[in-house]
Amino acid sequence: MHTRMARLRRPFLLGAILIASFGIVSAQQRGGQGAGAEQRPRPWMDTALSADERAGLVLAELTLDEKIGLLHGMGRGGGSAQDPAFQAVAARSNGGAGFVPGVARLGLPDLQMADSAVGVARGASRGRYSTALPSTVAAAATWDVKLAYEYGALIGRELRDQGYNVSLGGGVNLLREPRNGRNFEYQGEDPVLAGTMIGHRIRGLQDQHIVGDIKHFALNDQETGRQIASVTLDTRVMRETDLLAFELGIRIGKPNMVMCSYNRIGGDWACEHDYLLSGLLKKSWDFKGWVVSDWGATHSTTKAALAGLDQEMPGDTFFGAALKKAVESGEVPMARLDDMVRRILRAEFASGIIDNPPVTRVPDVLVGFAVAQRVAESGTVLLKNDRGVLPLGAPTIRSIAVIGSHADVGVPSGGGSAQVDAAGGSAVKPPAATGGGQRQGGMGRGGTWHPSAPLAAIKARAPRAKVAFDDGTDSAQAAALAKASDVAIVVAAQVTSEGRDMTNLSLPDNQDQLIAAVAAANPRTIVVLETGGPVTMPWIDKVPAVFEAWYPGIRGAEAIAAVLFGDVNPTGKLPMTFPKSEADLPHAVLPGSDVTPQPVPAPAGAPAGAQRRTQLPPFDIIYTEGLKVGYKWFDAENKAPLFPFGHGLSYTTFAYSGLKATATAVTFTVKNNGTRAGAEVAQVYAGLPDGTGEPPRRLVAWEKVTLAPGESKTVTLTLDPFLLSIFDSAADRWQLVPGDYKIFVGTSSRNTPLTATVRLRD
Ligand code: NOJ
């Protein structure tokens, strides 16, 4: 990786960013609400009315063409049609991933949609700055719902600052497959943690008057074959795993939009799946917002519309003229068309984008820095720390070797639609994403390097030490520097991306070999991981300390240095299992990676011998592990993980005592036994009664408890009956099974010193 990348050291010019950010004109100002509006009364602007009532009043005013116009986009970034009338409207697009013109005569705003999983994406193409937050999986690793809220609120504010009113970013696909290239933009493997964290993030975002989404609904748990594969799972398993994350996220966050995914489920495309969209989402969950297709995930007009899809993006292949025709012929009833439109209108009123349209302005860069750093610090997970090697005592260290991963210039990000452009340009020529998985959907964005250099941050913390950098391309040379230094810090990176999966969980580019060589040369070797998800660590017994910094964002280096030197006491916990090897996973080989791509038939008239593209043929992904996702698999199969779900060390130690459990609440005491202040994520797991067919334990509650040295706190956590339930497919409802429930309380899924049994009666 290292040799192939040319360095493009560009200074981070804050001033330039601020000036560049000024030239933005809001969607509203450019032709949405107000422009060309008639002076007729607009009763729907009465804020005393409910969002439903207001939506109904506007709906009654819309023509059929205006309705159809709200149900599809004008192409990515505003389309490309040659028609001048089309272009005049498309010119209003803000340049985001999606654009839907509003109805100016009624004051309906243009929908300006921006990808915004880890910050507002693609701003740089328009000279705009946005905060590059740590990856969402880092936010999940904080287990801190207040931070999740702040994360969403920051993105919401910066969307407004740039003139957007719809966010595309609430990814909560379950980390079923650790090789999935998009795990960095999701929330880990546990549905309760993932659903709760995404729910609070959506709350934070929508409180800024932005339409928030949750995606990709559902079971798009890997990139390989995402546009072709069909996932097979029975209803109970879906409801208790992937769909539970969505159910909780929607319940807590009340997003105004759901994005259906590319893949098929049981043979039907997710965006025309009657059970998922109409039966479950809209009927059982009473979702009142609209369903938007992932970009290019619409496959039909009538079937999709009747199944519950409300809006096609980014173009109009199925929900433009074809939908109008289907309505006129009665194939799609007018009542259904009105329902599609009403849902969008309702969301516009409920989110506040009509009453409080975005006002463009320079984003508050320093506030963004502060949130980014807080998340990076709180999400860093200390995996191993033997002999108290960390934190480093700056005054006693004379020399430090910093090795690898361009730590002299920046920190990496994940790639794809989630990618936030680096301020001032990537610090390193963007690498190809790791792994050889099949590329999907033409994603070519392989991550970027944000100008936050660990080397400089380490130097700033250890001003008396000699701090030297080696790029890590030559293991022997790096080991020689390590040998001559008091401490060696190896920064190891794995760049992952939308559009491709990893074929294995090894660190790429001989970094395992580099770490082993450095560790052999210096027993005080510390490994800092910058990865999208779990990696294997064949060198783990050779190094005393390792921490996971994920993709740590624009203040990543400062967070890494703060953890190294103990200014921050780590509090993060793994939101997923780190396996020892791929052989321990439910699928030793990535599903679909053994399917042979087939040539795509050449288009008519293509010259003989023209290069032919290939694509995967349809195939099934059968998740045979069923309910046993992540740690539940390792527990049920008695496999020892490298690091378990929920694991994360601190520079202090915590003791647990005094468990009292009833069927509705647990109470216990956590004590800080050390000499440093710290915070512990105390976790409660439940084992369901025998005969329920459930894995040994599931997460049901947690709390992040901050404790001064020597301090104890007694914590009481409610046991939500819903989280103790199983899904009864025959009766189509959740069921709380009477019987004995084991309660486990502790510091990780595998370290639960307190146990009790509670009995639930009929
Ligand atoms: C496809 C991705 O799957 C989705 O997450 C994204 O929001 C859209 N493209 C728009 O860029």
Side-chain angles (χ1 to χ4, degrees), residues 76 97 115 122 168 182 215-216 226 259 262 294-295 417 498:
R76 201 176 256 282
D115 275 308
R122 291 195 204 92
L168 311 168
R182 290 189 94 169
K215 69 183 185 184
H216 308 87
R226 74 172 175 175
M259 185 190 288
Y262 283 123
D294 199 344
W295 270 225
S417 57
E498 176 181 350

Side-chain angles (χ1 to χ4, degrees), residues 8-53:
L8 304 175
R9 286 165 213 253
R10 289 197 203 147
F12 174 28
L13 297 175
L14 195 61
I17 292 158
L18 296 181
I19 293 162
S21 299
F22 255 122
I24 308 162
V25 181
S26 87
Q28 302 299 334
Q29 290 157 340
R30 280 192 301 189
Q33 184 175 358
E38 296 163 22
Q39 294 307 304
R40 290 181 49 207
R42 289 179 172 172
W44 53 88
M45 290 310 291
D46 178 356
T47 53
L49 299 176
S50 71
D52 287 302
E53 289 167 325

Side-chain angles (χ1 to χ4, degrees), residues 650-670:
S650 162
Y651 296 148
T652 186
T653 53
F654 301 99
Y656 285 77
S657 62
L659 175 63
K660 290 191 203 76
T662 67
T664 52
V666 292
T667 300
F668 54 92
T669 301
V670 190

Side-chain angles (χ1 to χ4, degrees), residues 136 139-140 142-157 169-172 187 191-208 210 212-214 245-255 702-703 720 723:
T136 52
T142 69
W143 294 54
D144 181 339
V145 295
K146 290 200 196 83
L147 265 186
Y149 180 95
E150 274 190 58
Y151 191 105
L154 183 85
I155 293 176
R157 285 198 300 275
V172 73
Q187 305 273 345
V192 178
L193 178 67
T196 305
M197 296 301 282
I198 201 73
H200 287 280
R201 171 202 161 115
I202 294 167
R203 276 201 318 116
L205 183 116
Q206 293 201 146
D207 278 357
Q208 312 310 311
I210 290 285
D213 71 324
I214 193 165
F246 281 94
E247 186 164 1
L248 286 169
I250 291 171
R251 191 180 286 186
I252 297 168
K254 302 189 176 50
W702 71 91
E703 179 145 314
D720 180 348
L723 302 184

Side-chain angles (χ1 to χ4, degrees), residues 3-171:
T3 40
R4 286 200 301 275
M5 288 180 209
R7 304 293 173 89
L8 304 175
R9 286 165 213 253
R10 289 197 203 147
F12 174 28
L13 297 175
L14 195 61
I17 292 158
L18 296 181
I19 293 162
S21 299
F22 255 122
I24 308 162
V25 181
S26 87
Q28 302 299 334
Q29 290 157 340
R30 280 192 301 189
Q33 184 175 358
E38 296 163 22
Q39 294 307 304
R40 290 181 49 207
R42 289 179 172 172
W44 53 88
M45 290 310 291
D46 178 356
T47 53
L49 299 176
S50 71
D52 287 302
E53 289 167 325
R54 297 173 74 182
L57 289 169
V58 186
L59 183 66
E61 300 282 327
L62 288 169
T63 65
L64 177 60
D65 284 333
E66 284 170 338
K67 289 176 186 174
I68 298 283
L70 294 175
L71 302 179
H72 61 82
M74 288 189 78
R76 201 176 256 282
S80 58
Q82 297 312 308
D83 169 11
F86 176 96
Q87 282 184 344
V89 179
R92 299 208 303 265
S93 164
N94 207 10
F99 172 69
V100 182
V103 181
R105 73 177 184 90
L106 302 177
L108 297 180
D110 297 338
L111 294 180
Q112 303 279 2
M113 304 179 170
D115 275 308
S116 36
V118 304
V120 185
R122 291 195 204 92
S125 62
R126 304 243 164 168
R128 295 190 291 235
Y129 170 82
S130 33
T131 302
L133 285 159
S135 51
T136 52
V137 83
T142 69
W143 294 54
D144 181 339
V145 295
K146 290 200 196 83
L147 265 186
Y149 180 95
E150 274 190 58
Y151 191 105
L154 183 85
I155 293 176
R157 285 198 300 275
E158 293 196 358
L159 282 164
R160 289 177 64 83
D161 292 346
Q162 297 197 19
Y164 291 106
N165 52 14
V166 181
S167 168
L168 311 168

